[in-house]
Amino acid sequence: YQVDQRKVIQCNIRDITERKRAEEALRESEERFKVLHNASFGGIAIHDKGKIIECNQGLSEMMGYSRDELLLMDGYLLIAPDSRELVKNNVAADFEKPYEAFGMRKNGEIFPMMLEARSVPYKGKTVRTVEFRDITERKQAEEKLTASEVRYRRLFEATRDGIFILDAETGMIVDVNPFLVELLGYSHEVFLGKELWEIGFFKDIAASKENFLELQQREYIRYEALPLETADGQCIHVEFTSNVYRVKHHKVIQCNIRDITERKQAREQLLKALEELKLSNAELEQFAYVASHDLQEPLRAVAGMVQLLQKRYQGQLDERADEYIRLAVDGASRMQTLIKDLLDYSRVERRGNPIKAADANEALKYALRNLETTIAEQGAVVTSDSLPTLDADATQLSQVFQNLIGNAIKFHGAQQPQVHVGVEKLADAWRFSVRDNGIGIEPQYFERIFLVFQRLHTHSAYSGTGIGLSICKKIVERHGGRIWIESQFGQGSTFYFTIPHRS
């Protein structure tokens, strides 16, 4: 401006030191805030020459110290003794990449952590910030994964199934276990690095890329009896299964091969035996037909003639002749009974009625009607529980009751026969029992009595052919059950048999 016709310049000077200090303090504060809160997890510390000059709440919670305790603390006290040398070396080298070390909480607990340091300006100088991350859970997960991989590897190496692993994208074999090498007789080198369709002895598994595409898409394939040729030219049959799964975000295919050659041979032998059994059963049926027609007819003629001879000439000849005639009549009669029982035994399977709902009470009543004469003659007392309706052949069930009750009355000894028919419902079957107070059976005969024509007594002592219990056994087994005895010699017996539930 003008002063006395002269132009002058006025300069004003204002002291802004305090304002600049305030701006610097604000900038440093914002920088600290940015450093301390940019991390979404973990603890943050700012240290200067090893002393903590600032920290966040995460560090306090992680280490178990209050914020006031952490400030001006020697930062190396937060590091486990075994890791302090490593951390000091990294601090000295201004190392700024994440690395693992062990931390130590206020209570002395040692834990794994990840450290990452970087340099930042603070109050006109450069300091270091350190981010602490607790990686305990991650390390535990890694240990579990490692243990799982070890267990899998042990199984892979020790199992008696052949295993090979394919890359699911390329079909290349990346691993095979020792047993596959042993099973097929080829070295590891023959397998590794080859695509599945390049290996000749797997041609039936993946003869083309189209087969492999199906394997990728279905993620599970099973072949029942696949023929493979071993290195020495032998043909073996294997069960082949494959599963697709992920390993570290990469799809692989595990293929298991189990040698079933012996099992297949055993099956073939079993089928052959079944065919032979069918043939044998057919021959038995033919024999039953012959016995029922060709044998019984002449036997009836012989028996009729001998009985006529006995009727006309009994007492007219000498005593020896009468005895001969009596023996002939008795023998013919027993032979007819024997053939009839044998036919009944052979017809259990062939002529059984369909198994359907049947009232066991009615089956028992039918059996008792057939035994009315025997019960009356012996003065027997037969009682029973209320019996259920079950799935059975009613006629054959009645036959079982009749044979067991008839035997109980026959082998009663000197006392009045007492017979009780009981039943109990089990989880999977009805268990029937026929208990008597007869002569009993010694334990060494418990199995023998169910065999065909096995008798424990002479014909003169007790009548019968010794086939009744065999018929009971066959009927019960036709129904899917079993029959057995519990007895004490001289104190009676209890026969048990089961009929399974079918619904």
Side-chain angles (χ1 to χ4, degrees):
Y1 54 91
Q2 295 287 334
V3 176
D4 297 332
Q5 299 182 347
R6 286 187 299 175
K7 185 182 287 186
V8 296
I9 299 174
Q10 179 178 314
C11 299
N12 291 35
I13 298 175
R14 182 178 293 174
D15 186 354
I16 59 171
T17 302
E18 291 300 323
R19 189 182 76 186
K20 295 298 291 183
R21 287 175 180 172
E23 290 175 351
E24 180 66 21
L26 178 60
R27 188 188 65 78
E28 290 179 352
S29 176
E30 290 175 345
E31 184 67 28
R32 290 200 305 272
F33 179 85
K34 180 180 177 181
V35 169
L36 294 175
H37 295 280
N38 270 350
S40 60
F41 58 89
I44 301 291
I46 298 177
H47 72 90
D48 183 21
K49 297 180 181 179
K51 298 295 183 179
I52 298 174
I53 58 177
E54 188 59 87
C55 67
N56 70 344
Q57 182 63 25
L59 184 66
S60 177
E61 293 173 355
M62 181 186 299
M63 293 302 181
Y65 293 95
S66 68
R67 184 175 183 279
D68 291 340
E69 289 176 316
L70 288 170
L71 294 180
L72 300 182
M73 175 187 284
D74 184 346
Y76 294 114
L77 294 178
L78 303 180
I79 309 300
D82 290 346
S83 295
R84 286 175 187 168
E85 190 67 27
L86 169 67
V87 175
K88 288 180 179 180
N89 291 337
N90 286 342
V91 169
D94 290 335
F95 190 75
E96 294 195 353
K97 293 182 179 180
Y99 63 95
E100 292 184 11
F102 286 94
M104 185 169 67
R105 307 188 204 277
K106 183 178 180 179
N107 61 7
E109 178 187 351
I110 305 296
F111 67 99
M113 62 181 182
M114 183 73 72
L115 297 178
E116 184 175 3
R118 52 186 175 271
S119 298
V120 296
Y122 182 77
K123 293 185 178 179
K125 57 182 177 180
T126 300
V127 295
R128 300 277 284 177
T129 66
V130 181
E131 181 179 351
F132 297 73
R133 299 180 191 173
D134 186 343
I135 59 172
T136 301
E137 291 186 2
R138 193 191 80 187
K139 298 298 286 187
Q140 289 174 343
E142 289 175 352
E143 289 172 1
K144 288 180 181 179
L145 179 60
T146 300
S148 176
E149 290 175 347
V150 169
R151 287 195 299 270
Y152 172 79
R153 196 68 198 179
R154 287 175 179 172
L155 181 63
F156 182 82
E157 298 288 344
T159 184
R160 300 305 289 174
D161 282 353
I163 301 175
F164 62 93
I165 309 296
L166 299 174
D167 185 302
E169 300 299 328
T170 66
M172 184 175 294
I173 297 175
V174 296
D175 202 0
V176 296
N177 75 333
F179 186 72
L180 186 64
V181 173
E182 177 186 334
L183 179 65
L184 298 179
Y186 295 93
S187 66
H188 278 86
E189 290 70 23
V190 173
F191 295 97
L192 299 184
K194 301 288 197 317
E195 293 176 333
L196 186 61
W197 46 84
E198 293 180 319
I199 302 179
F201 45 82
F202 285 147
K203 60 181 178 295
D204 291 322
I205 299 176
S208 67
K209 293 185 178 181
E210 286 73 20
N211 296 111
F212 179 69
L213 181 61
E214 179 187 8
L215 184 65
Q216 290 176 306
Q217 292 173 344
R218 290 176 56 186
E219 295 196 346
Y220 174 79
I221 287 181
R222 180 176 181 271
Y223 296 96
E224 178 69 27
L226 188 73
L228 291 183
E229 185 174 318
T230 64
D232 58 5
Q234 294 184 33
C235 180
I236 64 173
H237 290 83
V238 302
E239 179 184 82
F240 175 92
T241 58
S242 67
N243 292 277
V244 177
Y245 59 97
R246 289 186 175 275
V247 176
K248 297 179 180 178
H249 308 292
H250 185 71
K251 289 177 72 173
V252 297
I253 302 173
Q254 177 175 311
C255 303
N256 287 49
I257 294 178
R258 176 170 296 176
D259 186 355
I260 60 168
T261 304
E262 292 184 0
R263 188 174 77 189
K264 189 172 187 297
Q265 291 172 347
R267 179 178 175 81
E268 291 172 353
Q269 291 173 356
L270 178 60
L271 292 175
K272 181 180 178 182
L274 288 174
E275 288 298 320
E276 293 174 351
L277 181 60
K278 288 180 181 178
L279 179 61
S280 176
N281 286 339
E283 292 173 348
L284 179 60
E285 289 185 13
Q286 182 63 28
F287 168 75
Y289 176 83
V290 171
S292 63
H293 293 82
D294 299 349
L295 292 182
Q296 288 208 84
E297 186 58 35
L299 181 60
R300 279 195 294 268
V302 171
M305 290 300 101
V306 174
Q307 288 170 353
L308 184 60
L309 181 64
Q310 183 183 44
K311 182 177 181 180
R312 288 190 177 183
Y313 297 102
Q314 180 76 30
Q316 298 182 30
L317 304 173
D318 59 24
E319 292 183 2
R320 179 169 293 182
D322 287 345
E323 179 64 15
Y324 289 163
I325 294 173
R326 186 188 67 78
L327 290 175
V329 171
D330 184 59
S333 178
R334 282 196 288 127
M335 178 61 78
Q336 286 179 315
T337 302
L338 191 63
I339 291 176
K340 175 184 176 300
D341 287 350
L342 185 60
L343 285 172
D344 289 341
Y345 181 78
S346 67
R347 290 169 177 166
V348 168
E349 292 287 349
R350 293 186 301 112
R351 296 193 178 182
N353 296 317
I355 294 176
K356 58 184 181 180
D359 187 345
N361 295 291
E362 293 300 318
L364 177 61
K365 288 178 182 178
Y366 185 79
L368 294 178
R369 282 198 295 270
N370 291 338
L371 292 169
E372 278 181 353
T373 301
T374 301
I375 292 173
E377 289 177 351
Q378 300 297 330
V381 176
V382 181
T383 59
S384 73
D385 296 343
S386 177
L387 305 182
T389 295
L390 70 167
D391 292 321
D393 180 336
T395 301
Q396 290 188 342
L397 180 59
S398 180
Q399 191 174 2
V400 172
F401 284 139
Q402 183 174 329
N403 283 341
L404 294 180
I405 295 172
N407 280 351
I409 295 173
K410 181 195 301 185
F411 300 103
H412 67 82
Q415 54 190 333
Q416 180 190 30
Q418 302 280 341
V419 184
H420 181 76
V421 179
V423 68
E424 181 182 356
K425 186 176 184 180
L426 306 179
D428 58 349
W430 290 102
R431 184 177 67 188
F432 292 88
S433 62
V434 178
R435 185 179 69 249
D436 64 56
N437 62 341
I439 61 176
I441 300 173
E442 295 177 286
Q444 62 265 35
Y445 302 120
F446 284 1
E447 298 295 330
R448 176 182 166 186
I449 60 174
F450 292 104
L451 301 178
V452 179
F453 301 137
Q454 294 298 309
R455 295 172 51 87
L456 304 184
H457 307 279
T458 64
H459 180 74
S460 59
Y462 295 99
S463 62
T465 59
I467 204 171
L469 289 177
S470 301
I471 291 176
C472 290
K473 184 174 185 290
K474 196 165 188 179
I475 289 173
V476 170
E477 289 177 347
R478 182 200 170 208
H479 285 74
R482 67 186 188 97
I483 187 170
W484 70 98
I485 182 177
E486 292 179 3
S487 180
Q488 189 170 350
F489 187 67
Q491 298 185 25
S493 304
T494 302
F495 282 85
Y496 294 95
F497 67 93
T498 59
I499 302 293
H501 304 311
R502 293 180 180 269
S503 55

